[in-house]
Amino acid sequence: MIPQQWTPPCGSQCNQKYAALTQIPWRVFCKKGCNSDEETWEECLENCDQTCYKDPVLKDRQWSAYIDRSPGAASYSEECFHACVAGCGFKFDIHPEKVDQVHPSRPTKPPPPDKPPVEKPPLLTSGPNQPNSPAEDIPSTSA
């Protein structure tokens, strides 16, 4: 048996798509899509949505979303979702163009608001007797 035959074809496709070391987490989620128990493409997509996005574990307890085992940050959740959908696409022989067009059913978070401008510290003056000190803190006469 040669190494390519050790994994099912779907898993091998995930290995090829996410071959780089930096893509190992996404390979795992791709294989979750491949190995899901769902019987239809739509059910597999729902499974990816549940796997990759945090929901409260306990109803009416928003804090319990932190117990969930999804990847975390919004960008990670989106990457996870696309990797999982790729696995579903491999499993159900869906054309790659259709797979690339799938978006999560979750609303995307709005971009963070613009930060207010930061106030600059007072200008520093330097002279022979006053190295880098604020101008208004030093009197013009010495004691």
Side-chain angles (χ1 to χ4, degrees):
M1 182 181 274
I2 56 175
Q4 289 85 1
Q5 296 172 330
W6 292 347
T7 59
C10 185
S12 295
Q13 289 171 312
C14 287
N15 289 343
Q16 290 173 358
K17 182 172 176 89
Y18 298 101
L21 285 176
T22 57
Q23 295 177 319
I24 289 174
W26 313 131
R27 185 184 321 161
V28 170
F29 288 108
C30 180
K31 289 182 178 184
K32 286 183 183 238
C34 279
N35 299 330
S36 69
D37 294 332
E38 280 64 39
E39 295 182 12
T40 67
W41 163 250
E42 289 78 16
E43 289 174 354
C44 195
L45 296 180
E46 286 178 30
N47 182 52
C48 290
D49 198 50
Q50 292 173 356
T51 300
C52 294
Y53 288 90
K54 287 185 181 241
D55 283 324
V57 176
L58 305 172
K59 285 190 175 195
D60 302 323
R61 304 280 190 235
Q62 188 61 38
W63 62 266
S64 68
Y66 295 101
I67 300 171
D68 200 353
R69 292 186 175 194
S70 62
S75 61
Y76 288 164
S77 291
E78 193 170 334
E79 287 287 333
C80 166
F81 179 79
H82 289 296
C84 184
V85 168
C88 292
F90 295 143
K91 177 179 181 175
F92 292 105
D93 293 324
I94 305 294
H95 196 274
E97 287 179 7
K98 183 176 180 181
V99 170
D100 290 341
Q101 293 173 353
V102 174
H103 297 289
S105 62
R106 309 287 176 114
T108 56
K109 289 186 177 181
D114 292 335
K115 293 182 181 178
V118 178
E119 290 187 31
K120 294 182 180 179
L123 294 175
L124 299 177
T125 60
S126 58
N129 297 331
Q130 306 166 352
N132 294 330
S133 55
E136 60 266 358
D137 289 350
I138 299 176
S140 58
T141 60
S142 61

